[in-house]
Amino acid sequence: MGDILDEVTALIRCKECPWYKNCITPIQVNAEDLGQFRLMMQGANLPEQAKGEMEQILESIASSSQNMILQSCPVFTQRLKDNPKVAQRIKEIMQNWGKEEEPGK
């Protein structure tokens, strides 16, 4: 009975989703996020050189993470965790993205 309730809850959450039907989106790191980190760094007792190096590292991580990390809605994430076959199917779709299907399929 719990499985049925969990699935119904997930369906309701999905239909009322604040993600507006965008189950996954690339993570966005903006100047405001970097500014908040700089403010936190000002309070740390680090030498100026270390602060500068930390800022460079942060900017590098932020830049590369935008190409590697996705934000996903909690319903989508839970469904992938609950059903490894779905996750495997998505992986196969991604690996075959853009490949033309054979005629007759």
Side-chain angles (χ1 to χ4, degrees):
M1 183 71 165
D3 292 341
I4 293 171
L5 291 175
D6 290 343
E7 187 60 27
V8 169
T9 301
L11 286 172
I12 292 169
R13 286 177 66 196
C14 195
K15 291 195 185 302
E16 297 174 354
C17 182
W19 285 66
Y20 306 107
K21 306 286 183 210
N22 293 316
C23 297
I24 55 174
T25 56
I27 193 167
Q28 299 295 318
V29 178
N30 57 33
E32 184 179 319
D33 296 327
L34 293 174
Q36 288 178 349
F37 181 77
R38 286 186 183 106
L39 284 174
M40 290 186 321
M41 290 296 296
Q42 287 177 355
N45 287 332
L46 294 174
E48 287 302 315
Q49 182 180 357
K51 286 181 184 179
E53 290 173 5
M54 288 292 287
E55 275 191 39
Q56 288 177 340
I57 291 169
L58 173 70
E59 288 175 10
S60 175
I61 291 170
S63 175
S64 64
S65 70
Q66 292 185 113
N67 296 325
M68 298 179 356
I69 299 174
L70 294 174
Q71 296 173 324
S72 65
C73 84
V75 173
F76 184 73
T77 301
Q78 191 59 48
R79 287 179 177 173
L80 289 177
K81 288 178 181 178
D82 291 346
N83 193 338
K85 289 181 182 178
V86 171
Q88 181 61 35
R89 182 67 185 124
I90 291 171
K91 180 179 176 180
E92 290 168 5
I93 290 169
M94 292 303 296
Q95 289 174 340
N96 295 312
W97 194 280
K99 292 181 182 176
E100 293 184 34
E101 289 190 29
E102 295 177 22
K105 284 194 173 184

